[in-house]
Amino acid sequence: MTDIGRIGTAALGEGGPPVGVQGLGCMGMSFAYGPVDADASRATLERALELGVTLYDTADAYGAGDNERFLAPFFKAHRDEVVIATKFALSIPPDDPTRRIIRNDAPYIRQAVEASLKRLDVDVIDLYYMHRRDVNVPIEETVGVMAELVREGKVKQLGLSEVTGGELRAAHGVHPIAAVQSEWSLFSRDIEAKVVPAARELGVTLVPYSPLGRGFLTGSFVNADQDLTADDFRRQQPRFTGDNAAANAALLEPVRTVAESHGATPGQIALAWVQQQARIHDLPVVPIPGTRKPTRVEENTAATRITLTDEELALLDPIAAKVTGTRYADMTFTSAGRE
């Protein structure tokens, strides 16, 4: 494992504040990935900040608001040091907490922002994302409402998640977009065709979620059905189950080869690859790997100091095209499903 130290910074949008060049995805501290350990998660938050991680990512849908509530004391203790990112759009029907309904309409956005402000116990949200796109509402209309929140002082910067290149351009024409969050990893590279070029042109920061392929790229599990608990979200994702999982596990061999040459872990190489896309595509890239362990934060942030050679990049390049199975059972709400 490479040496531990504070990470560098990157701009959050054109003219935005500098943030640590790697952020922290906090969803798993309350939701989706099996049993949680609140004490370990709190220690993880503190260790991340010590290492220079300043962008913390949550959403109102993570645990039906539980994740925002869990993070609130940490944010309050370090308000001037952290950048809080949260999201709206996945409405949870009161009669069925397992369902999610995508809503981008003005009344819902206003209701959602007030609820998030209350749960987070803050006066303003630093970065407010549209979590998913409702194609029945013009994106210009949605971003227009989000822009009103900026003018009202409830939100500082705007972000979008899982949008197409065209949707990003249309949104940016209404109000500057600071960040686009989409899945980007050695296993998922569809955004490179249109979203990344649009972001580069517009001065938008890319915030890759699941840069470790939801843990699969670390080798921490091989088959979700066999290796993960029944309540783990990854058991619902086609690429991690059945024959797909076995085929995709075989794709990790070049990752292990490169890791061995650097004295690093496979996860560090996967993260280093994502971090290096900033140079390759000439735009700020701030991945948000999720973890609930301080030692994993140390491992992840150390990856920011690994530089892959052109030969190593060439060895890793074919992996994504060989992945079998989609990243969600239903891809219609992703950018790839609409491009």
Side-chain angles (χ1 to χ4, degrees):
M1 189 183 296
T2 50
D3 293 337
I4 296 171
R6 286 183 66 84
I7 61 176
T9 62
L12 186 60
E14 211 163 56
V19 294
V21 75
Q22 187 180 111
L24 182 64
C26 301
M27 178 179 77
M29 295 179 177
S30 308
F31 172 71
Y33 293 133
V36 299
D37 183 331
D39 289 339
S41 292
R42 281 188 282 268
T44 300
L45 294 167
E46 296 288 351
R47 186 61 177 136
L49 188 59
E50 291 171 355
L51 293 169
V53 174
T54 55
L55 179 64
Y56 293 81
D57 185 88
T58 182
D60 60 0
Y62 298 163
D66 285 347
N67 197 235
E68 290 180 323
R69 281 186 285 266
F70 172 77
L71 294 169
F74 171 74
F75 291 153
K76 187 171 185 177
H78 301 285
R79 188 63 189 96
D80 295 336
E81 303 171 80
V82 301
V83 173
I84 301 171
T86 192
K87 315 177 194 73
F88 73 88
L90 299 181
S91 174
I92 303 173
D95 59 337
D96 186 357
T98 64
R99 289 183 62 213
R100 299 291 185 272
I101 299 172
I102 301 176
R103 290 188 60 181
N104 290 173
D105 56 284
Y108 181 74
I109 295 170
R110 290 199 161 275
Q111 171 191 327
V113 74
E114 295 297 341
S116 284
L117 286 166
K118 183 176 181 180
R119 285 189 294 264
L120 291 165
D121 193 20
V122 295
D123 297 324
V124 60
I125 294 166
D126 300 314
L127 176 60
Y128 200 43
Y129 285 103
M130 179 189 76
H131 203 163
R132 289 293 186 269
R133 168 102 164 87
D134 178 358
V135 296
N136 298 308
V137 179
I139 197 163
E140 295 88 347
E141 181 179 316
T142 299
V143 176
V145 177
M146 295 170 72
E148 291 174 5
L149 302 180
V150 176
R151 290 191 288 272
E152 293 165 12
K154 295 176 181 178
V155 171
K156 290 183 180 179
Q157 291 184 289
L158 303 184
L160 304 171
S161 180
E162 287 287 358
V163 292
T164 67
E167 289 165 351
L168 173 56
R169 293 179 193 279
H172 199 79
V174 176
H175 187 280
I177 301 299
V180 165
Q181 185 175 131
S182 286
E183 188 162 351
W184 198 7
S185 72
L186 284 169
F187 267 27
S188 300
R189 298 180 57 182
D190 48 83
I191 65 168
E192 292 174 27
K194 295 183 179 180
V195 179
V196 170
R200 180 177 60 244
E201 176 189 324
L202 299 171
V204 177
T205 298
L206 247 296
V207 179
Y209 74 82
S210 299
L212 293 170
R214 300 194 184 276
F216 194 83
L217 287 164
T218 70
S220 62
F221 73 99
V222 176
N223 186 305
D225 287 335
Q226 299 169 7
D227 302 338
L228 303 178
T229 58
D231 57 348
D232 196 299
F233 166 71
R234 290 167 290 187
R235 289 168 64 107
Q236 303 171 27
Q237 296 182 299
R239 62 179 45 170
F240 301 141
T241 58
D243 293 340
N244 289 343
N248 292 334
L251 299 177
L252 299 182
E253 192 54 40
V255 183
R256 296 191 190 94
T257 298
V258 176
E260 187 175 343
S261 70
H262 284 270
T265 65
Q268 286 181 313
I269 297 307
L271 279 175
W273 181 89
V274 176
Q275 302 277 179
Q276 212 152 320
Q277 300 311 303
R279 177 183 60 79
I280 293 170
H281 292 281
D282 190 28
L283 82 170
V285 176
V286 182
I288 49 169
T291 185
R292 300 174 288 194
K293 298 178 181 179
T295 54
R296 289 296 187 204
V297 168
E298 294 170 358
E299 178 181 331
N300 292 346
T301 55
T304 65
R305 288 179 289 282
I306 297 175
T307 301
L308 304 176
T309 66
D310 289 343
E311 291 76 17
E312 289 168 338
L313 290 169
L315 185 64
L316 300 171
D317 187 68
I319 292 175
K322 298 177 182 178
V323 172
T324 61
T326 54
R327 48 195 177 97
Y328 294 101
D330 179 3
M331 290 287 287
T332 58
F333 57 86
T334 68
S335 60
R338 297 192 304 277
E339 287 284 15

